[in-house]
Amino acid sequence: TIIGLALAATLVLRPPVAAVYRLAAHGAVLMWLWRELSGLDGGPGYVTIAWGAYAVGLLVPALRLDRQLLRQVAMATLFLVVGKLLVFDLANVEAIWRILLFLGFGGLFLLLSYSLRSLWRPAQGGGPAQSGGPAQGGGPAQGATGSKVSQPDS
């Protein structure tokens, strides 16, 4: 209820204040997931999976809608998940959980890196999905000075 009220308040508040409420709601969601899942058998593993799924759930719409703040929050959450994997889960989780978590998140990061071009839709043509470069058939590559860069023949 409190998280919903914080998010609802962002609709009527000015942007700088609304961003603070959104960040507070984000932190509350992470803490709520930790509190609810850590008591289960294998709970730290479930917390990591939930945080990772939540971060990807934030990242995909942030890339699709080109929302910079949401993208930064999602990336920070993914970095938090990696930190939790390396610092906490590596020491405190059973071996099978460690194996599954590291393999799962490794695969997830590979999938995200391969699908980044198709997910990101920047508004002004910046970012990895920009058109006009040699990868999209837009002509030869140019250096920083505007001169053509020689490419090896294939």
Side-chain angles (χ1 to χ4, degrees):
T1 309
I2 295 173
I3 296 169
L5 288 174
L7 290 175
T10 64
L11 299 174
V12 295
L13 296 172
R14 291 179 295 201
V17 177
V20 172
Y21 274 87
R22 287 184 186 130
L23 286 174
H26 173 71
V29 167
L30 292 177
M31 290 300 107
W32 176 73
L33 287 170
W34 183 310
R35 188 180 68 112
E36 292 296 319
L37 297 175
S38 63
L40 300 174
D41 187 33
Y46 290 130
V47 171
T48 305
I49 292 169
W51 284 7
Y54 175 63
V56 170
L58 291 175
L59 185 62
V60 170
L63 292 171
R64 287 265 200 211
L65 301 173
D66 196 33
R67 301 284 173 95
Q68 182 181 1
L69 182 61
L70 185 58
R71 188 172 59 241
Q72 290 171 343
V73 168
M75 293 299 289
T77 306
L78 281 175
F79 285 130
L80 179 69
V81 168
V82 170
K84 183 180 180 307
L85 271 171
L86 293 174
V87 173
F88 183 77
D89 292 344
L90 195 58
N92 298 323
V93 175
E94 295 176 26
I96 188 68
W97 273 106
R98 280 194 299 261
I99 293 167
L100 293 174
L101 287 171
F102 276 88
L103 284 175
F105 278 102
L108 175 71
F109 289 134
L110 281 173
L111 180 69
L112 282 174
S113 68
Y114 284 128
S115 61
L116 180 65
R117 286 181 158 269
S118 64
L119 288 175
W120 198 356
R121 305 217 169 130
Q124 298 177 352
Q130 61 183 321
S131 61
Q136 286 83 23
Q142 294 188 348
T145 61
S147 62
K148 290 183 182 177
V149 176
S150 63
Q151 296 181 0
D153 295 329
S154 355

